[in-house]
Amino acid sequence: MSANHEFIGKPRLSPSDLAKRWGISRKTIYNWSDSGYLPPQHRIGTVEFWTEDQISAWEAVNIQPAGVQESASETNAQ
């Protein structure tokens, strides 16, 4: 676990924040977090959260913009 001072002044995102951001339920956020699909949360006391940097990096790899399709080579490689 990291020292608490590393999060001072950095935007923090709760499961509710992510649910609103992505238009999905908090239950889905908790399920994804528990399964390891999302990055590990940070904890200060009983408060669990992600940093904006963590989620932005995760989104860059895991979320495809609407209307963008996989190329045929990516589809065939699976």
Side-chain angles (χ1 to χ4, degrees), residues 28-41 48 50:
T28 298
I29 297 296
Y30 288 118
N31 288 339
W32 287 0
S33 181
D34 291 345
S35 72
Y37 184 59
L38 294 176
Q41 291 178 300
E48 294 182 330
W50 294 273

Side-chain angles (χ1 to χ4, degrees), residues 8-52:
I8 293 174
K10 290 190 177 184
R12 291 180 267 183
L13 300 168
S14 69
S16 294
D17 294 330
L18 292 185
K20 289 177 194 170
R21 182 175 179 146
W22 295 334
I24 59 178
S25 71
R26 282 188 330 193
K27 183 174 181 170
T28 298
I29 297 296
Y30 288 118
N31 288 339
W32 287 0
S33 181
D34 291 345
S35 72
Y37 184 59
L38 294 176
Q41 291 178 300
H42 300 285
R43 181 186 299 240
I44 297 177
T46 60
V47 177
E48 294 182 330
F49 62 91
W50 294 273
T51 62
E52 178 66 41

Side-chain angles (χ1 to χ4, degrees), residues 64-68:
Q64 192 173 38
V68 176

Side-chain angles (χ1 to χ4, degrees), residues 60-77:
V61 172
N62 292 285
I63 296 182
Q64 192 173 38
V68 176
Q69 297 180 352
E70 288 183 0
S71 70
S73 62
E74 288 174 335
T75 304
N76 292 334

